Amino acid sequence: MARKAKYQLTAGTVVEVSGAAVETVADEVAEWKKISTTAKEIAYTAGQKSDLDVTVIESEEEELENGLRGQGELTISGNWKQEDEGQDTLRAADADDSLRIVRVTFKTGNTAKLLVQVRQDNWSIAPNGVATGGFNLRVIGKPAYAPAPEPAP
């Protein structure tokens, strides 16, 4: 029986942060800093559109239109490591409020790039464990998705 399910496996995914500040998600990046060697979970939530109430007296129910889109959110959580190059890059971006690109490359070669600004850096420790931490990132604009490159002939 042939499978009908469509999915994207996550094993082998590489997550990187642009090593220097950028202005747009399309900017060329000279150096990428890997963060997937400490990240355990990455979650993206698109910005929600506000509701514009256009209900009038003759309306039979509440009538709404979409307003402006809010900022999206990206969270990265996992093992906290002070000397991790990806985490160091995000901490530097937090310190100077610069924008960075987070690039997610799946094992298939499909990619997603998000222009982000660090909102919060966090970490915690407990007895008999490992230090955990993460970053809450504001997503500016929409992610840029690209399919895997075609194999060379």
Side-chain angles (χ1 to χ4, degrees), residues 101-115:
I101 298 172
V102 172
R103 178 173 70 180
V104 179
T105 305
F106 295 95
K107 190 174 184 178
T108 59
N110 295 335
T111 62
K113 288 176 162 181
L114 302 98
L115 183 64

Side-chain angles (χ1 to χ4, degrees), residues 81-130:
K81 180 75 172 148
Q82 187 170 339
E83 301 84 13
D84 179 74
E85 64 181 7
Q87 290 183 28
D88 284 344
T89 299
L90 289 174
R91 282 190 281 273
D94 185 25
D96 66 10
D97 286 328
S98 61
L99 301 178
R100 303 297 168 112
I101 298 172
V102 172
R103 178 173 70 180
V104 179
T105 305
F106 295 95
K107 190 174 184 178
T108 59
N110 295 335
T111 62
K113 288 176 162 181
L114 302 98
L115 183 64
V116 300
Q117 185 176 40
V118 179
R119 294 185 61 227
Q120 184 181 43
D121 171 16
N122 60 75
W123 56 269
S124 64
I125 58 174
N128 196 29
V130 297

Side-chain angles (χ1 to χ4, degrees), residues 23-40:
E23 295 293 322
T24 72
V25 74
D27 285 0
E28 289 295 320
V29 174
E31 184 177 22
W32 291 98
K33 304 290 186 174
K34 197 180 286 191
I35 196 166
S36 50
T37 55
T38 57
K40 290 188 173 192

